[in-house]
Amino acid sequence: PDHYDAVIIDELCHSAFVPALPTFRTQTCTIGLVHHLKASEPQPTHHAWASKLLERRFLNHQHGLICNSATTAGTCKALLGKSVDICIAKPGTITSVGNITPQRISERATQTGPLRILFLGTVTPRKGLHHLLESIKRCSHPVEVSIVGSHNRDPKYAKLCKKYVSDLATHKVEFKGEIDTATLIQELESAHILAVPSDYEGYGIAYIEGFSAGLPCIATAKGAPPEFVQQGVNGFTVQPGDV
């Protein structure tokens, strides 16, 4: 075909493309779009081995890569064990809190009443919601937590998280599920802090969404967040599982 120069293949679909890649690569220029490698996530040894095998094969059949962070680029190079042409394209936000001002941020931060925490992400074990809920249970002062994100990826885990906080008396925890952009902006505007203590993030768009609303972020120290979350300046990084 002469109407395009290259085909960009999302690495999240690597398992579907691996069988066809050798032939596909000879017919056109293939560029892999990598958010983060599954092999980077904490997982059982045999799962990690299978992830590395499949992802290395996918990466080996790309003429170049587009990665979302320097961390992701580094993990790709390490898995391949060789140099590869890489472009880093950092994601942007889907929200735009246009009326946020330094004065508004200061006023919000000094309001009386419960601390309002926003969790933004798919409700799966990797995102660390259970660690956040455990930390909330240990708080003596009232805390309000708004949990925004799909429950469909792991319904069993979502159900367990809801059950875990069903008997709370001091704190208020609301599971909002998936919401539209306008409602998300309202959640960002009303929160005091965004907290997503993931096991690993290849980038972490949720934290950037928080920054767009002037929120400090509690982020994982594993993966790319330390590239842009400055400890004690615009947020804090914590080790996975450090309740």
Side-chain angles (χ1 to χ4, degrees):
D2 57 4
H3 56 284
Y4 60 85
D5 299 311
V7 173
I8 298 176
I9 305 173
D10 195 324
E11 192 273 336
L12 290 172
C13 307
H14 69 273
S15 58
F17 279 96
V18 162
L21 280 176
T23 302
F24 199 39
R25 189 180 192 277
T26 62
Q27 296 176 348
T28 189
C29 176
T30 55
I31 307 293
L33 175 63
V34 187
H35 306 274
H36 82 257
L37 298 178
K38 183 75 174 177
S40 301
E41 298 179 14
Q43 56 187 311
T45 303
H46 60 289
H47 287 176
W49 178 85
S51 295
K52 287 180 180 179
L53 182 68
L54 289 173
E55 290 180 323
R56 183 183 292 115
R57 187 173 180 185
F58 174 88
L59 296 174
N60 261 316
H61 285 98
Q62 307 303 316
H63 293 91
L65 302 174
I66 300 173
C67 295
N68 59 356
S69 67
T71 298
T72 299
T75 58
C76 289
K77 290 179 180 178
L79 185 60
L80 284 170
K82 64 180 183 182
S83 179
V84 58
D85 290 329
I86 295 178
C87 169
I88 296 176
K90 296 180 180 179
T93 62
I94 63 169
T95 59
S96 178
V97 185
N99 62 346
I100 200 77
T101 63
Q103 181 181 358
R104 168 61 184 144
I105 294 170
S106 179
E107 290 173 351
R108 182 177 60 192
T110 55
Q111 288 174 339
T112 58
L115 178 69
R116 297 192 297 272
I117 300 174
L118 174 62
F119 174 93
L120 179 57
T122 305
V123 181
T124 60
R126 181 174 69 83
K127 293 295 183 178
L129 176 59
H130 53 295
H131 299 311
L132 176 60
L133 296 179
E134 172 61 25
S135 71
I136 297 306
K137 276 202 166 186
R138 299 186 185 189
C139 292
S140 56
H141 295 287
V143 174
E144 295 180 358
V145 186
S146 183
I147 299 164
V148 174
S150 173
H151 302 169
N152 298 331
R153 184 78 62 83
D154 193 334
K156 183 178 179 181
Y157 173 74
K159 185 176 180 180
L160 286 173
C161 287
K162 291 178 181 179
K163 183 178 180 181
Y164 184 69
V165 294
S166 61
D167 61 345
L168 287 181
T170 304
H171 312 302
K172 180 181 178 182
V173 179
E174 292 186 288
F175 288 79
K176 301 293 183 70
E178 294 184 88
I179 58 179
D180 58 33
T181 302
T183 308
L184 174 57
I185 289 175
Q186 292 175 3
E187 290 287 340
L188 288 165
E189 285 184 311
S190 63
H192 291 127
I193 190 167
L194 184 141
V196 185
S198 303
D199 290 337
Y200 182 89
E201 290 288 352
Y203 187 72
I205 295 178
Y207 311 127
I208 305 301
E209 301 286 1
F211 289 158
S212 79
L215 297 179
C217 297
I218 295 178
T220 180
K222 292 294 185 181
E227 292 181 27
F228 51 86
V229 178
Q230 302 172 53
Q231 186 78 1
V233 177
N234 59 4
F236 302 91
T237 55
V238 295
Q239 292 298 325
D242 188 349
V243 175

